[in-house]
Every structure is written in structure tokens, then in C-alpha cells.
């Protein structure tokens, strides 16, 4: 009997027994094809030895643990490529475990704890994924271009001591990193949910990076959990204008089903790409990466209503469950709850939601308010300014009928917040920008009384702009907890992670967003570019930011909010790469967006306002690139002489713990500012007054005020100023200047 140290790889087919029950001969044949055409060549390529096959499993020995893991990664990647070309019922998915340990050799066979632990790792792997032991991790953690998720110590069968376990994460965002080891319990719970999606998606699709040019996003994969899409219900009512009811029920079912533990639900956005299309279940499954498909129809005549629904298993194209629900419109909530419950039963899932729980997240039990909200929702999703005006009327009607309807209040807060950013948009509503801001704040306060996912997403954005990204992360996590099917919730969390200094985590949540909605929007490309930029990966940032297509025609109102900041970062990325001609072209492309935003020119000072990073080092990276690209730090005519400008320490000594008086040079309004030693700031300019917080960022003074967001500026001495005139110093902002003197 010989003992030796070896790397052991064990692979096992997921669901082999079930597949054999359906087609024993075909299943065995497909396993043999994988064995001879995939496993054997890869094992030989990486200098391994195929010890034996064990029914539906494979046992392999390697002299090098790096070779073993490299082989495992390539096996899963190649298997995913092959599965993508097969119908769902013919796909064979493997789990792989790898361990470095002591083995017993008897003839050609091996056994012992080294083999047993590899087998336990295989059991802990995600379908399509890889799990490794702590001894494996210790030897390979810096040797391969992959990431890892630490699962902690696990007690496994037949092994006396707990084993450290890691899952391989084939996500570009965490390449060379280990996630999950040092996080708060709250953030870890949400990360686990997202990584659970992301690990499997990218274990099968590691070769597909949607932010890279020329790739095809139509790939289906299996998931460890049952996965489902709710296709848009057909409107069979005589009144074709009642399509908003069918759309609303589709959206509500998506949200409520996504709350069931153990069920993964594709987003409403992705599902609606199939609206008014005749598609085979296999086509839907392949494009969205789901197994189960819920489809149905709604017919309403007066108060009478009929809902037909059918749950299809794309593996067999057969119906798992079908039901007709007849009732009155007043029973729509009860009918939806029955549907959710029966679907959960069909999928053998434990249902923990109820009508009360499902409605608590900003909902209503008022039918008239619900119907008005659905009308508004249909109009809002058209994304045209004039439709938004009509949508707002329906949302306001819904609130008038139920003042606690948090979803409606959040929708109004969102629309008026967007309206206040530009004069053109606010005019569509017949409001000034200040009036639109006031309405947004009022509805946001009302939405907070019955919080919805939309409210928490708004809150995350508001907190992020105020440089409170730690709190913003908690708000974005809450939005995901309430609606795990909405990609915008993952994108919101990605954004605040990036501004919090956790860009790698931000990229991970973009992959989670891609799982619920595979179509990459311009906004998602912008976030990917910002994350890569924040990781000093400027080439990859450029690829992602150029995918926002800033030179092409805008197809949606939201394109502005991707292209505008996207170009700002792209200019800096070009500067960091010394691509000065490209930077100059991007600066020209930015000018129309500056005009829309009523900004005369792009400056470093403007970038400081637009990008509220928690850590100055992340903002400084942007500013350095802009300087190299030729972007001026201050607006034309605002630049003081170098000898007159104060540095960060001088600004702190001048202002913190003091009171200043002066005036706004442009308007003549009185200017007063009191800054405490801890940065707490009380400011008054004319009739506007607010209390906020000030910090020194580099050689700039930046302040955040709840009613007006964030300002950054530089301070300089006024060579001709006097205390009597209260103009010894100048405070230069992007579009304003104040002169002042210290009075206390």
C-alpha cells in the first residue's frame, strides 16, 4: 500500500438519475461522449490521470494542484459552450470538487481522505461550478486568473475536522480576489444571493463578457434553484386598451414570485421582450436561461374577470400546471395570491409570502387606486415626456384614493426628481426646476411612510449623492430584498458599491443584474466602465464606456444619463492611457450634453461634484486623467494665480471653527457660512439656508446639503480685498463665486 500527496478532481453529473428515468440510453450515451471528447483530452492536456469513472462521476489524479484546478475551469467553460448549442433536455451539467491531500494507492485505484474530501467539495459546488478545499486554495490562490468565494469551515460527512471551503468565481470583477471573508452579516447575505446567481452564470459563461465588443448574449444556462420567467399575459378583453391590466398582473406576479425563497425569477424587462411574439418554450429558455415559463391571459368584461395561466417545463415542453381563475375584478388580489401559491406548490417550494406580506412593500388594497397605478405604470414605461405627464396624473389619482400607496408616491418622487435636473424636462410638467425639486421631495417623504423597492432605490441614490454610501448600500440591499427580480435594484447596489470604494463588488452586482435581465443597457455599461476605471483597469474601462455608444442617437430618455457621465469618465480614461486625440474627440462629443445640462464647460471641479466618491483617492484618479487629457481644473475666468490659491490645510485652518460673511458676486445676495470643527456647516445665501457637512478633498472644499446636493470649490486670496468690504477671499465654484472675510 502506497501513500502520497496528490491533487484529486471529482466531477459528477447534476440530476443524472432524473435524466435516466426519462431517457436512460440517451443519458448514458451523452455521458460517454463528454467523457471521451471533453474530459479525456482535457485531463491529458493538464497532465492528469483518469483513475476511473463511477457511474455518472469521474475520478482524476494530478501531480500539480494548479493543473487540477486549471483543468476543472476549462472543463466547465467548454461544457457551457457545448450546452449552449443543445436543447435543454440534452444538456448535461457537472459539479466539480478539487482537493489537495493524502491518498492511498492500490494498483491503479486511489482512495482515502484526500479522495473523500474532493468528493465532499463536489457536493458543495454549484451546478456548473467548482468547489475547492482550503489546502487547494492555499496553493492556487494567486496562480490562476480567477476569483474565489470563501464559504468558511464546513463539517462534511466521514471527515472528523471541519474543512475550509471555497467556491471558484469565474467573474472578471473578482479576478485574483477572495470575496465573502470580511463583510458585515447584512452585506454578506445579499452578496451570497448575488454571487449565487453570478457564480453559476459565469461558471457557465466565463467566456462571455457582455461589456466586451462583438459578443453574443443569447446563452442559456441551468441554475441551482428553479428558475422562472413570467411572460406578458395576453389581453383577451374586448377593450384592447385594457392591456395595462394584463401587463400589471404580469409585473405583480413577477415581483411576488421573486419573493419565494429558493425560486429565481427573471425580470419584467427581459420578459417583455417576448411580448406579442410567438416563441417556443425552448427559445425562451435558451435566451433567458430559465427552465420554467409561466404564461397566461386576462379577459375582463365589466366587473367579471377570467385569468388563464399555465406553467411550462422547458425541459419537456410539457405543462406542469394549468388553471383557470374566474372571479370579479374586486377579487384580483386574492386570485393573484392563489396563483402564486399553486405555482409554488407545483415547483415544490415553501411559500412564505401572503397577500398581506406581498402588499406591505408599498402596495395598496384599494382596487381603484391599484387600477389607476397600473394605467400610470403603462404610460411611464413608454419613456416619452408627454406620457410621463399623463402617468403622473394617474399616480396622483392613485394617491388621492389611498394616501399610503407607497409605490405610487415613489413613482412620483422618481419622475419629479428626473424633471428637476434640466429646465427642458421640468417645463414639460409646467414647472420650474425648483418647483419640480420641491414636488420630488414632498412625494419622497410620503413614499417613506410605506416604503417600496422604488423608494429604497431612490433613497440609495440620494444617500450616495450626499457621500453617505455606507447607508446607501443598506438601502439598495433592502430594495433587492423586496424585489429580487428587478435589475435596476442590482444596478443601484453596484453604483453605491463603486462610490464606496468597492468597485470589484460593484462589478459582481452588474453580473447579478445580467442574470435577471441579460440585455445590457447603456447605463450598465457606464457602471462597468466606472468600476474598471476605479480599479486602474483603464483599457477595460474604455471598452465598456465606448459601449455606451455616446456618439450614436439616443433611443431613450435614460441614454442621456449614461452618455453624459460616461463621456466624463471616458475622457479621463483616455488621459490615463495617453490617448490624447481620442480624449479631444470625446470632449467634443460631450459639448451637446453640457448644453442640455446648462453647463458652460467640463472642468475638474465639475467632475468633483458629479462623482461623490467616499474616498478622495478614487476622485483623484478621475482628476489626474482629466488633467492629462487637457481638461481645465476650473472654469474659464475663475482661475486664481497659483500664489493666491489656498491648499487643503490652509482652507481647513481658515474655515473650520469660524464664521464668514460676504456676498455672491453674480447675484449680489448676502453670503454667510458657519463651519464647526467637525465640518458641520450652516449656510445662508439670500433666502436659501441649509445645514450640511463640509470636507477637505485634496485642495478643494466640498460641502453636501440635503436640499441642494453637493458643491465643490477652491478658495484663494483676493489681492485687493479688505475686511471692511468682506472680500479678502474668493470661493470659486463651477458656476458661481463668493467673496468673503472671516468675522469670527
Amino acid at each position: 500500500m502506497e501513500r502520497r500527496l496528490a491533487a484529486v478532481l471529482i466531477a459528477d453529473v447534476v440530476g443524472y438519475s432524473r435524466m435516466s428515468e426519462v431517457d436512460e440510453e440517451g443519458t448514458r450515451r451523452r455521458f460517454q461522449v463528454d467523457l471521451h471528447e471533453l474530459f479525456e483530452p482535457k485531463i491529458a492536456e493538464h497532465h492528469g490521470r483518469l483513475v476511473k469513472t463511477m457511474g455518472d462521476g469521474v475520478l482524476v489524479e494530478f501531480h500539480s494542484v494548479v493543473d487540477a484546478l486549471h483543468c476543472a475551469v476549462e472543463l466547465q467553460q467548454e461544457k457551457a459552450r457545448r450546452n449552449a448549442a443543445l436543447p435543454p433536455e440534452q444538456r448535461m451539467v457537472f459539479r466539480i470538487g478539487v482537493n489537495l491531500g493524502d491518498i492511498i494507492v492500490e494498483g491503479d485505484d486511489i482512495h482515502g481522505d484526500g479522495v473523500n474530501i474532493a468528493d465532499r467539495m463536489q457536493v458543495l459546488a454549484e451546478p456548473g461550478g467548482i468547489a475547492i478545499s482550503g489546502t487547494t486554495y492555499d496553493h492556487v490562490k494567486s496562480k490562476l486568473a480567477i476569483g474565489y468565494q470563501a464559504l468558511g469551515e464546513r463539517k462534511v460527512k466521514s471527515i472528523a475536522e471541519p474543512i475550509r471551503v471555497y467556491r471558484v468565481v469565474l467573474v472578471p470583477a473578482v479576478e485574483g480576489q477572495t470575496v465573502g471573508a470580511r463583510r458585515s452579516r447584512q452585506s454578506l447575505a445579499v452578496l451570497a444571493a448575488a454571487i449565487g446567481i453570478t457564480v453559476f452564470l459565469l461558471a457557465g459563461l466565463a467566456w462571455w463578457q457582455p461589456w466586451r465588443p462583438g459578443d453574443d448574449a443569447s446563452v442559456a444556462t441551468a441554475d441551482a434553484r428553479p428558475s422562472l420567467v413570467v411572460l406578458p399575459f395576453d389581453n383577451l378583453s374586448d377593450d384592447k386598451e385594457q392591456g395595462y391590466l394584463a401587463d400589471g398582473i404580469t409585473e405583480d406576479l413577477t415581483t411576488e414570485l421573486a419573493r419565494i425563497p429558493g425560486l429565481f425569477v427573471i425580470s419584467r424587462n427581459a420578459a417583455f421582450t417576448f411580448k406579442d411574439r410567438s416563441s417556443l418554450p425552448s427559445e425562451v429558455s435558451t435566451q433567458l436561461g430559465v427552465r420554467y415559463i409561466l404564461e397566461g391571459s386576462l379577459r375582463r368584461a365589466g366587473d367579471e374577470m377570467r385569468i388563464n395561466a399555465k406553467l411550462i417545463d422547458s425541459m419537456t415542453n410539457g405543462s406542469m400546471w394549468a388553471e383557470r381563475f374566474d372571479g370579479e375584478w374586486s377579487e384580483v388580489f386574492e386570485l393573484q395570491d392563489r396563483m402564486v401559491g399553486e405555482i409554488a406548490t407545483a415547483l415544490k417550494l415553501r411559500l412564505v409570502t401572503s397577500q398581506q406580506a406581498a402588499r406591505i412593500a408599498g402596495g395598496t388594497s384599494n382596487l381603484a387606486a391599484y387600477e389607476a397605478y397600473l394605467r400610470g405604470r403603462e404610460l411611464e414605461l413608454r419613456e416619452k415626456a408627454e406620457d410621463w405627464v399623463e402617468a403622473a396624473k394617474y399616480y396622483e389619482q392613485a394617491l388621492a384614493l389611498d394616501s399610503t400607496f407607497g409605490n405610487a408616491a415613489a413613482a412620483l418622487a422618481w419622475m419629479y426628481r428626473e424633471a428637476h435636473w434640466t429646465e427642458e424636462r421640468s417645463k414639460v410638467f409646467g414647472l420650474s426646476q425648483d418647483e419640480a425639486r420641491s414636488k420630488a421631495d414632498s412625494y419622497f417623504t410620503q413614499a417613506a411612510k410605506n416604503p417600496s423597492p422604488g423608494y429604497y432605490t431612490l433613497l440609495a441614490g440620494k444617500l450616495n449623492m450626499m457621500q453617505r454610501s455606507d447607508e446607501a448600500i443598506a438601502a439598495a440591499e433592502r430594495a433587492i430584498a423586496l424585489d429580487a427580480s428587478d435589475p435596476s435594484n442590482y444596478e443601484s447596489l453596484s453604483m453605491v458599491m463603486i462610490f464606496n470604494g468597492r468597485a470589484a463588488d460593484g462589478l459582481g452586482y452588474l453580473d447579478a443584474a445580467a442574470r435577471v435581465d441579460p440585455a445590457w443597457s447603456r447605463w450598465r455599461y457606464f457602471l462597468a466602465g466606472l468600476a474598471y476605471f476605479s480599479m486602474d483597469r483603464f483599457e477595460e474601462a474604455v471598452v465598456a464606456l465606448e459601449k455606451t455608444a455616446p456618439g450614436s442617437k439616443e433611443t431613450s430618455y435614460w441614454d442621456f444619463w449614461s452618455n453624459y457621465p460616461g463621456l466624463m469618465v471616458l475622457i479621463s480614461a483616455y488621459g490615463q492611457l495617453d490617448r490624447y486625440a481620442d480624449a479631444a474627440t470625446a470632449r467634443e462629443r460631450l459639448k451637446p450634453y453640457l448644453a442640455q445640462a446648462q453647463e458652460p464647460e467640463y472642468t475638474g471641479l465639475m467632475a468633483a461634484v458629479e462623482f461623490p466618491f467616499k474616498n478622495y483617492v478614487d476622485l483623484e484618479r478621475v482628476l489626474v486623467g482629466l488633467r492629462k487629457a487637457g481638461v481645465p481644473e476650473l472654469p474659464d475666468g475663475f482661475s486664481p494665480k497659483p500664489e493666491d490659491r489656498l491648499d487643503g490645510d490652509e482652507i481647513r485652518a481658515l474655515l473650520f471653527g469660524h464664521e464668514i460673511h460676504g456676498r455672491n458676486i453674480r447675484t449680489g445676495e448676502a453670503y454667510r457660512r458657519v463651519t464647526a470643527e467637525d465640518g458641520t456647516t450652516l449656510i445662508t445665501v439670500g433666502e436659501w439656508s441649509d445645514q450640511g457637512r463640509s470636507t477637505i478633498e485634496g485642495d478643494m472644499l466640498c460641502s453636501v446639503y440635503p436640499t441642494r446636493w453637493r458643491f465643490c470649490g477652491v478658495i484663494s486670496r483676493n489681492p485687493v480685498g479688505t475686511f471692511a468690504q468682506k472680500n479678502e477671499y474668493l470661493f470659486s465654484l463651477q458656476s458661481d463665486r463668493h467673496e468673503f472675510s472671516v468675522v469670527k
Side-chain angles (χ1 to χ4, degrees):
M1 184 177 68
E2 175 190 356
R3 286 183 177 273
R4 65 171 177 246
L5 186 68
V8 180
L9 179 155
I10 292 183
D12 193 73
V13 179
V14 178
Y16 187 89
S17 298
R18 176 186 51 77
M19 295 168 67
S20 294
E21 289 176 4
V22 177
D23 180 9
E24 183 176 5
E25 184 178 341
T27 300
R28 186 62 187 168
R29 184 174 61 252
R30 287 191 291 275
F31 176 81
Q32 291 297 320
V33 169
D34 280 340
L35 176 65
H36 298 310
E37 295 184 3
L38 176 59
F39 278 77
E40 289 178 351
K42 285 293 181 187
I43 291 167
E45 179 183 338
H46 293 283
H47 316 294
R49 179 177 74 92
L50 176 60
V51 178
K52 62 183 177 182
T53 60
M54 306 166 291
D56 60 333
V58 177
L59 173 62
V60 189
E61 178 191 4
F62 293 82
H63 293 298
S64 163
V65 70
V66 174
D67 284 343
L69 186 55
H70 197 180
C71 181
V73 169
E74 290 191 0
L75 283 170
Q76 294 292 37
Q77 291 175 336
E78 179 58 25
K79 190 67 188 111
R81 292 189 185 97
R82 297 185 181 203
N83 278 344
L86 296 174
E89 66 273 14
Q90 295 183 18
R91 295 173 191 157
M92 194 162 278
V93 178
F94 289 82
R95 292 188 179 94
I96 295 180
V98 178
N99 176 50
L100 176 65
D102 186 66
I103 64 170
I104 299 171
V105 183
E106 291 186 343
D108 291 332
D109 201 5
I110 61 174
H111 55 91
D113 281 354
V115 176
N116 293 338
I117 292 173
D119 186 54
R120 303 301 179 260
M121 295 304 101
Q122 173 271 130
V123 172
L124 292 171
E126 299 278 355
I130 305 162
I132 65 175
S133 63
T135 56
T136 305
Y137 170 81
D138 292 340
H139 283 77
V140 301
K141 59 186 176 183
S142 60
K143 303 291 178 56
L144 297 174
I146 56 178
Y148 305 90
Q149 180 195 7
L151 301 184
E153 291 190 338
R154 297 289 181 91
K155 186 75 175 68
V156 298
K157 183 179 178 182
S158 302
I159 304 298
E161 298 295 327
I163 305 295
R164 281 185 295 129
V165 182
Y166 297 80
R167 282 183 181 151
V168 173
V169 183
L170 299 177
V171 183
V174 293
E175 182 178 306
Q177 301 179 47
T178 302
V179 298
R182 296 183 299 272
R183 282 188 170 78
S184 69
R185 185 170 297 178
Q186 182 183 27
S187 63
L188 182 60
V190 176
L191 177 67
I195 290 288
I197 296 166
T198 308
V199 166
F200 183 75
L201 174 68
L202 290 165
L205 302 180
W207 54 277
W208 172 56
Q209 296 181 359
W211 47 86
R212 298 192 183 280
D215 289 332
D216 180 9
S218 61
V219 182
T221 65
D223 196 303
R225 299 169 294 166
S227 51
L228 177 144
V229 62
V230 184
L231 292 182
F233 274 40
D234 294 326
N235 173 33
L236 302 183
S237 306
D238 293 335
D239 182 358
K240 297 305 177 186
E241 291 187 0
Q242 290 199 2
Y244 67 89
L245 296 176
D247 290 351
I249 286 176
T250 304
E251 190 165 350
D252 282 356
L253 284 172
T254 298
T255 301
E256 292 184 29
L257 286 165
R259 292 191 179 114
I260 298 177
L263 180 62
F264 171 76
V265 182
I266 283 286
S267 74
R268 176 247 186 239
N269 293 357
F272 270 68
T273 62
F274 289 89
K275 187 173 182 180
D276 300 325
R277 285 171 53 186
S278 178
S279 303
L280 294 172
S282 59
E283 179 186 354
V284 177
S285 170
T286 299
Q287 290 194 28
L288 299 181
V290 296
R291 177 172 176 178
Y292 301 106
I293 299 162
L294 179 66
E295 60 181 22
S297 63
L298 169 71
R299 183 188 299 277
R300 181 184 177 189
D303 291 332
E304 298 297 317
M305 180 179 63
R306 169 172 292 177
I307 300 175
N308 286 296
K310 180 167 63 173
L311 185 65
I312 299 170
D313 184 345
S314 66
M315 294 281 285
T316 63
N317 287 336
S319 173
M320 293 182 61
W321 166 88
E323 188 60 85
R324 186 180 74 189
F325 300 89
D326 290 323
E328 296 184 357
W329 172 244
S330 60
E331 299 174 308
V332 64
F333 298 144
E334 289 80 0
L335 294 179
Q336 286 187 43
D337 285 334
R338 279 179 54 197
M339 214 180 310
V340 170
E342 292 191 25
I343 292 167
T345 300
L347 295 174
K348 296 182 173 59
L349 296 167
R350 182 171 59 91
L351 182 63
V352 298
T353 54
S354 65
Q355 177 175 329
Q356 181 181 6
R359 308 282 171 240
I360 201 169
T364 183
S365 58
N366 185 306
L367 283 167
Y370 176 65
E371 186 166 352
Y373 173 80
L374 294 184
R375 286 182 179 272
R377 181 73 173 150
E378 181 193 39
L379 288 162
E380 180 193 348
L381 291 172
R382 294 179 186 176
E383 296 184 356
K384 295 180 180 177
E386 57 272 22
D387 290 326
W388 273 34
V389 174
E390 292 302 309
K393 293 178 181 177
Y394 279 113
Y395 287 147
E396 286 164 351
Q397 180 184 338
L399 268 185
L401 291 164
D402 181 357
S403 62
T404 67
F405 195 172
N407 277 319
L412 286 164
W414 173 265
M415 294 173 73
Y416 284 117
R417 189 195 78 159
E418 291 303 313
H420 104 267
W421 290 119
T422 65
E423 184 179 10
E424 178 184 2
R425 194 77 177 183
S426 58
K427 279 183 176 179
V428 172
F429 285 90
L431 302 170
S432 68
Q433 286 175 266
D434 284 341
E435 288 170 334
R437 181 190 292 111
S438 177
K439 274 184 168 285
D441 290 342
S442 175
Y443 285 122
F444 180 79
T445 300
Q446 191 167 355
K449 297 175 182 177
N450 191 10
S452 63
Y455 163 77
Y456 284 113
T457 298
L458 273 173
L459 177 61
K462 184 186 283 278
L463 290 168
N464 188 63
M465 285 297 295
M466 297 172 69
Q467 278 184 297
R468 293 162 60 184
S469 55
D470 290 333
E471 298 166 77
I473 287 171
E477 288 174 342
R478 184 62 181 151
I480 291 173
L482 292 175
D483 187 357
S485 69
D486 190 342
S488 66
N489 293 338
Y490 297 101
E491 290 167 351
S492 174
L493 184 52
S494 171
M495 178 186 71
V496 297
M497 284 286 188
I498 295 167
F499 281 105
N500 191 252
R502 297 165 59 182
D505 290 338
L507 272 179
Y509 283 108
L510 291 184
D511 293 319
R515 181 66 179 102
V516 295
D517 185 358
W520 274 62
S521 63
R522 297 189 190 193
W523 176 248
R524 201 179 292 170
Y525 284 124
F526 161 67
L527 290 175
L530 182 61
Y532 277 126
F533 183 92
S534 299
M535 298 163 69
D536 293 320
R537 294 162 65 173
F538 303 121
E539 291 282 5
E540 291 163 285
V542 165
V543 171
L545 293 167
E546 286 178 342
K547 293 280 277 186
T548 63
S552 63
K553 182 179 179 181
E554 293 180 13
T555 59
S556 161
Y557 164 72
W558 304 110
D559 290 345
F560 176 89
W561 295 113
S562 309
N563 296 354
Y564 185 39
L567 278 165
M568 293 179 186
V569 181
L570 184 58
I571 292 166
S572 184
Y574 284 142
Q576 292 280 12
L577 294 169
D578 299 328
R579 293 170 56 176
Y580 304 123
D582 289 329
T585 300
R587 289 178 67 184
E588 286 299 313
R589 287 179 174 173
L590 183 62
K591 287 181 178 178
Y593 295 98
L594 291 171
Q596 280 185 263
Q598 299 166 285
E599 294 287 353
E601 61 181 324
Y602 185 38
T603 67
L605 202 58
M606 182 178 169
V609 173
E610 293 290 337
F611 299 108
F613 289 103
K614 175 182 178 180
N615 305 310
Y616 177 68
V617 65
D618 292 316
L619 174 58
E620 186 178 33
R621 184 183 292 107
V622 177
L623 300 179
V624 168
L626 293 180
R627 282 196 295 271
K628 293 179 69 176
V631 174
E633 182 185 9
L634 301 174
D636 185 39
F638 279 32
S639 298
K641 293 179 180 180
E643 61 268 23
D644 292 329
R645 181 167 169 179
L646 274 60
D647 63 25
D649 291 338
E650 291 171 322
I651 295 172
R652 180 181 296 278
L654 179 71
L655 295 183
F656 284 54
H658 299 97
E659 180 176 343
I660 63 174
H661 288 182
R663 71 182 184 97
N664 181 300
I665 295 175
R666 179 175 57 85
T667 65
E669 293 175 308
Y671 173 59
R672 177 176 175 269
R673 176 190 179 103
V674 182
T675 309
E677 290 286 357
D678 65 358
T680 301
T681 303
L682 178 63
I683 188 171
T684 302
V685 182
E687 296 182 357
W688 173 65
S689 182
D690 201 354
Q691 179 172 305
R693 180 176 56 87
S694 296
T695 56
I696 304 298
E697 300 191 25
D699 291 332
M700 297 178 295
L701 175 71
C702 294
S703 303
V704 175
Y705 301 106
T707 61
R708 295 289 175 91
W709 304 113
R710 171 175 162 90
F711 299 93
C712 288
V714 300
I715 294 179
S716 58
R717 298 176 185 86
N718 181 2
V720 297
T722 65
F723 178 81
Q725 294 180 310
K726 299 294 184 291
N727 65 350
E728 294 173 283
Y729 296 93
L730 297 174
F731 183 26
S732 299
L733 302 162
Q734 173 67 12
S735 55
D736 251 336
R737 276 195 299 177
H738 303 289
E739 56 183 20
F740 68 89
S741 290
V742 177
V743 298
K744 291 184 183 178

